[in-house]
Amino acid sequence: MAAPCTRMASRPFLKFMSCFSRTALGNTGVCKFSSTSVYRVTSQAKSVTEKAPSPWTLMAAVCLQRLPVISADLNPIEQQFRHMLQQIELEKSLLSEHELRLLEDAERMSRKQADDYDSDEDDDRRGQEIVLAQDLEDSWEQKLNSFQPASRVRADVDKDVTSVERCLADSLVLLSQQQVGSEKLWLLPQTQWQEGETLRQTAERALASLPAGFKATFLGNAPCGVYKYKLPKASQTESSVGMKVFFFKAILSDRSPAAAPDSSFVWVKKTELQQYLKPAYVMKVDRFILDL
C-alpha cells in the first residue's frame, strides 16, 4: 500500500513544478549571468556600504537650568486650600506640652486667687527659678518681632540678567552669545562634536569651556531634543551645509556667583526666551524646558 500512495502524492508535486518552471521562464528561456553583471552588482553593494561624509556638522548643546531657590507665591486657590488643611489639622490635633502647661498654670493661678492653693506643691520647685508658660510665649514673641526675613523681591538683582541670584522663585536657563557665521546669536552653550567622544561628552566639554566655570549635574546620557539649521549661504561649503544640534539637560549644582559679571552670559526665565532666541530655536527648546 505504500508504493501507490507515494505515486499519488508525487503527481501533484510534479504538476506544480512544471507549472512553476513555465511561469518563471516564459519565453525568455534560462537567465544567464555574465561577469559584467556580477561586477555591477558588486560595485552597487560597495557603494551602499560606503557612506559619503555628511554635509551636516554635529554639535552638542547643554540646557543648564538653575532650579528655584525659594517657593513661589501661592495663588488664591492654593491659599484657600492651605487654610482649609490648617483648619482640619487644628481640629483633629491634640494639645501640645506647652498648651498643657498653659492650662496647668492657669489652674494654679485660679486656685491661688480662691485661697485653695497648697504651698506644698511648690516644694519640688524650691531653689529653682519658676518660669511660667506665658513668660516663654512673651519671650518668643519678642524674638519674632525682632526677626527680619529676607526680601523675596529684589528689584536691583532681579533686573540684572547676568546674575544667577535673580528671580529666586523661578527656574532660570543659561544662554551664551556665540558667533554663527557673520553674526552673533544668543544660544544654549554648544560646541562641535569631535571624533572619538560621545555627544554627552561634547556637551560636558561645551559647559567646561565657559570661563565662568559652572558646576552642573547632567540628567541622562541621551539627548532631550535636536535642532537643525543651515548656515548663511556665504558660509556654506560642500562639506558643511549646516548644523545638527543635540541638546542635553543639566542642573546647576553650585550657584555661587562668578567673580565678575560677564555680558556674554544671561540667566533668563522661560517666558523671557523669546527676547533672546530666534522663533524656530525657541520652538525646539521650549519643549523640554520645565518652568518649575
Side-chain angles (χ1 to χ4, degrees), residues 189-217:
Q190 66 181 27
T191 189
Q192 186 174 347
W193 172 80
Q194 295 180 356
E195 189 174 356
E197 67 180 2
T198 62
L199 286 173
R200 168 169 170 171
Q201 292 173 345
T202 306
E204 292 175 347
R205 183 164 53 85
L207 185 61
S209 62
L210 300 180
F214 299 106
K215 297 180 180 179
T217 302

Side-chain angles (χ1 to χ4, degrees), residues 81-98:
F81 185 71
R82 182 183 65 174
H83 178 71
M84 182 186 68
L85 292 181
Q86 291 176 348
Q87 187 67 26
I88 294 175
E89 182 179 2
L90 178 62
E91 293 175 357
K92 294 185 177 181
S93 63
L94 301 177
L95 295 178
S96 63
E97 293 183 358
H98 179 71

Side-chain angles (χ1 to χ4, degrees), residues 22-35:
R22 288 195 300 271
T23 305
L25 296 178
N27 298 326
T28 57
V30 180
C31 181
K32 297 181 179 180
F33 292 93
S34 62
S35 60

Side-chain angles (χ1 to χ4, degrees), residues 256-271:
S256 56
D262 193 345
S263 59
S264 61
F265 302 102
V266 292
W267 290 94
V268 297
K269 298 184 290 185
K270 185 177 180 180
T271 56

Side-chain angles (χ1 to χ4, degrees), residues 17-71:
M17 291 301 295
S18 61
C19 294
F20 175 78
S21 61
R22 288 195 300 271
T23 305
L25 296 178
N27 298 326
T28 57
V30 180
C31 181
K32 297 181 179 180
F33 292 93
S34 62
S35 60
T36 306
S37 61
V38 173
Y39 174 76
R40 188 182 298 111
V41 173
T42 306
S43 61
Q44 290 177 356
K46 288 184 178 179
S47 64
V48 172
T49 55
E50 295 177 358
K51 295 182 179 179
S54 175
W56 297 91
T57 303
L58 297 182
M59 308 283 290
V62 54
C63 176
L64 181 61
Q65 284 189 262
R66 191 221 65 187
L67 298 181
V69 180
I70 60 177
S71 61

Side-chain angles (χ1 to χ4, degrees), residues 1-14:
M1 293 297 294
C5 292
T6 304
R7 286 195 299 269
M8 292 175 63
S10 61
R11 289 174 184 173
F13 178 73
L14 293 175

